[in-house]
Each structure stands twice: as C-alpha cells, then as structure tokens.
Amino acid sequence: MMFAAMTSAYIVKRNQSKWLDFDLPVIFWYSTVVILLSSLTIYLALKAFKARERSRYRTLITLTAFLGVLFTGLQFYGFGELGQHGIQLIGIGSNPAASFLAVIVGLHVVHVLAGVLAIVIYSIKAYSSSVKNYSSLPVELIGTYWHFVDILWIYLFIFLIWIR
C-alpha cells in the first residue's frame, strides 16, 4: 500500500511546475535482469531444499543472496550515474522528480536488503552441520517475500519508465 500511495503521489506531483524529466540510467535495466534471476534461483533453491539436495540448495540460496546484493549495488550505481549527469536526488538543488525516485527506489532497496539478510541467515544455516531441520516453511516464506520484492520492482520499474 505504501508503494501504491507513493506512485499515486508521483502521478499527482508530476503535473505541477518545475518537474524534471530524465531517463533512468541503463543500469536499472541490468538490475531488473539480476532481480529476475534471483527469483529463479530462490525458486530452484526451494525445490532443492524439498528434494533434500543440500549441496544444490546451499549453492542456490547463496547465489540468491549474492544476486540481491548485486541488485542493490547496481541501484546505487544508477543513482551515482544520475548524480554525474547533474541530477541531485535530495537536498538543496534537487528536483521533486529525482527525490521521488530516490524515496521510491530507496524504500524498495531497504526491502531488498531485509530479504537479503534473511537469505544470508538461511544461507549460513545451510552450511551448518548441526542443523538438521527439514521444515521447508522458513524457506518458503523467504521465497514468497523475495518474489514479492521482485514483483514490486517490476511494477516500480515499469511505472518509472512509462509514467515519467
């Protein structure tokens, strides 16, 4: 609901004066591919967990965490590119368009990092030899959250490209 409210506010605000139109850096396309790949890897990790393929699960859950961190890094790199083109995101000299982008994408990144933290915790548990719990519920919950974050990014990305 928070993202729906922010995107609604974005639409209302963009019709006011002094709105700066700019293109998203190409790196945001790459980050979109990365987060889509991470959804695939967490899906495959869950399948491996349920099949009790521990080695495969370890690899896939770790890869998912890596892809989440990579996604976040690419987002920050994209913000850096905007700054290099003179588009200040927040503070004095910023424009509401850039500030909306910073807030919307920044909040999404916070959600991604929360998911990465959960994935990292379960990645560490996957390498622990003392844990023998084969309940798939925690992995399913993390997967559901991760797919939500992915779908949310797709919505935001499409919104930011088409609605601008």
Side-chain angles (χ1 to χ4, degrees):
M1 294 306 296
M2 175 178 59
F3 287 98
M6 285 190 295
T7 53
S8 295
Y10 182 101
I11 290 170
V12 170
K13 187 72 174 170
R14 72 186 278 263
N15 292 322
Q16 296 178 354
S17 66
K18 297 184 182 179
W19 188 262
L20 175 66
D21 283 326
F22 58 89
D23 291 327
L24 289 177
V26 174
I27 200 78
F28 281 94
W29 286 91
Y30 296 130
S31 68
T32 301
V33 171
V34 167
I35 203 163
L36 287 171
L37 286 173
S38 73
S39 266
L40 175 64
T41 59
I42 198 139
Y43 167 76
L44 294 174
L46 177 60
K47 281 184 65 171
F49 186 89
K50 287 181 176 181
R52 295 187 181 212
E53 297 172 352
R54 191 171 182 150
S55 176
R56 187 166 183 243
Y57 166 71
R58 287 175 177 166
T59 301
L60 289 166
I61 197 79
T62 303
L63 181 57
T64 303
F66 170 77
L67 290 171
V69 170
L70 179 60
F71 172 83
T72 302
L74 292 171
Q75 296 286 293
F76 281 106
Y77 186 83
F79 285 139
E81 280 188 20
L82 288 172
Q84 290 173 357
H85 289 92
I87 300 170
Q88 187 168 337
L89 300 173
I90 56 174
I92 298 171
S94 66
N95 182 279
S99 296
F100 263 102
L101 177 70
V103 170
I104 291 170
V105 174
L107 281 172
H108 181 261
V109 166
V110 168
H111 284 82
V112 169
L113 290 174
V116 167
L117 179 63
I119 292 168
V120 165
I121 289 169
Y122 270 84
S123 183
I124 291 168
K125 284 186 174 189
Y127 287 95
S128 171
S129 61
S130 65
V131 177
K132 298 292 184 204
N133 182 2
Y134 283 100
S135 171
S136 64
L137 182 61
V139 182
E140 289 174 9
L141 291 173
I142 291 169
T144 299
Y145 178 84
W146 197 253
H147 293 309
F148 165 75
V149 168
D150 183 1
I151 291 167
L152 180 59
W153 173 249
I154 299 304
Y155 161 73
L156 293 173
F157 187 63
I158 290 169
F159 174 85
L160 292 169
I161 287 174
W162 283 350
I163 301 301
R164 285 186 312 96

